[in-house]
Amino acid sequence: SRAHVSFDGGQTWTEYPLNSNSAYQASGDPSVAFDDSGHAYYGTLGFRFVGPVNAQNPDVLVANSGDGGKSWAVSRIAQGSGVETSVGDLLDKEYVAAWGRGNAIVTFGDFRLGQKGSFESARIYASVTHDAGTTWSKPRVISGDLDGAFVSVPTVAADGRIYVAFLNTDDLTTG
């Protein structure tokens, strides 16, 4: 993943890599947020390839930058397991929101896969930081007992309340 940053109102742009570590060969699904002090948070997925066409289920990563995006520190928030066609946890759709000074939340889906990659359940998890990304809380389920929760989007209201919208496929017959 790379951040494209402008310091002159969009007239020119510079690319800065997020440099997590050599364990990840690819990344994807980026999301960006800034807190009130201008600290940046960049959520992405980290992929490790285990063959020419197969990757381990991705990890959720959040990078943070206190210098406008020139340099980044990366934290692994959650670790996927297995591959898409095996038993494991497929983590996906990590989105970030931030507020105040040094506060951010990342939400993501955890798709539990059974034998041969069959779908078992999906829940939404959240992790927060209150120290500008230096430490993150242990992810916890925020979608309750739902087994079909997908694609979460966190939003921070003016009063500081955090709202997370997500798709629920547990009951597709209710209108």
Side-chain angles (χ1 to χ4, degrees):
S1 292
R2 301 182 187 297
H4 294 264
V5 179
S6 176
F7 293 99
D8 59 10
Q11 297 297 312
T12 60
W13 293 86
T14 305
E15 181 180 289
Y16 296 98
L18 270 63
N19 294 334
S20 64
N21 64 47
S22 61
Y24 300 104
Q25 291 83 38
S27 58
D29 286 354
S31 65
V32 178
F34 291 85
D35 67 21
D36 294 350
S37 66
H39 203 93
Y41 304 87
Y42 187 118
T44 192
L45 298 174
F47 293 91
R48 295 182 187 111
F49 289 93
V50 292
V53 295
N54 206 357
Q56 288 183 329
N57 288 331
D59 296 342
V60 172
L61 309 174
V62 179
N64 74 84
S65 174
D67 62 6
K70 292 179 182 178
S71 62
W72 297 87
V74 180
S75 297
R76 182 175 66 189
I77 307 303
Q79 184 174 356
S81 63
V83 297
E84 187 177 350
T85 57
S86 73
V87 173
D89 292 283
L90 173 59
L91 308 180
D92 200 12
K93 304 299 184 228
E94 73 303 328
Y95 292 108
V96 181
W99 70 99
R101 296 183 64 86
N103 302 299
I105 182 171
V106 61
T107 62
F108 59 92
D110 182 347
F111 303 93
R112 301 284 166 101
L113 305 177
Q115 295 296 320
K116 298 183 182 178
S118 62
F119 174 81
E120 288 190 354
S121 67
R123 292 202 167 87
I124 303 299
Y125 283 76
S127 177
V128 297
T129 183
H130 298 294
D131 57 11
T134 301
T135 60
W136 290 83
S137 67
K138 179 180 176 187
R140 62 179 253 219
V141 175
I142 62 168
S143 55
D145 293 333
L146 300 174
D147 284 332
F150 297 90
V151 189
S152 59
V153 180
T155 303
V156 180
D159 66 2
R161 292 185 200 190
I162 300 170
Y163 296 90
V164 179
F166 59 89
L167 175 64
N168 170 27
T169 61
D170 275 357
D171 182 3
L172 295 176
T173 59
T174 302

